[in-house]
Amino acid sequence: MAARLLDIVPMHFSAFVVTTAPRHLASVRRDLDAMPGLEVRHWHEASGRLIVVHEGETLASQEEALRRIQAHRRVLAAGLHYHYLDPAIESDRPGTAGSDRARKGTP
């Protein structure tokens, strides 16, 4: 059964830059990839840096993901590099500025 438009939740897409000691890169990469909602998309072995993406329904889930990354014992630093809230989903909700009802002027 297809989801009703009102059941669709806006999605938050985030990218974190994570730094670890190069010698720990493989284990950190494996651990972060195993965490729910996280995916290691790129890494640079010589610098010990990783790009980790997160997809979640709330801003709080993004903040929690960053806290989980920062709490890893082998992570030296982690920070939010990019955040995107999918406006296509949000703007299609009835009553928002981008919705069909708002464009047509119907209640």
Side-chain angles (χ1 to χ4, degrees), residues 10-15 54 56 62 80 82-89:
M11 292 302 293
H12 293 263
F13 301 94
S14 308
H54 174 263
Q62 171 200 289
L80 177 66
Y82 181 79
H83 174 257
Y84 176 76
L85 174 61
D86 188 345
I89 295 172

Side-chain angles (χ1 to χ4, degrees), residues 60-105:
S61 69
Q62 171 200 289
E63 294 166 349
E64 176 58 28
L66 182 57
R67 280 193 289 276
R68 284 187 289 142
I69 293 169
Q70 291 170 332
H72 189 286
R73 66 188 183 106
R74 301 273 190 215
V75 168
L76 301 174
L80 177 66
H81 180 71
Y82 181 79
H83 174 257
Y84 176 76
L85 174 61
D86 188 345
I89 295 172
E90 182 65 24
S91 67
D92 285 340
R93 291 179 150 214
T96 61
S99 72
D100 287 338
R101 288 182 183 175
R103 282 193 293 270
K104 294 176 183 173

Side-chain angles (χ1 to χ4, degrees), residues 20 23-33 72 74:
T20 187
R23 69 182 179 275
H24 298 302
L25 184 86
S27 65
V28 170
R29 190 178 101 212
R30 197 172 38 252
D31 292 347
L32 296 182
D33 251 343
H72 189 286
R74 301 273 190 215

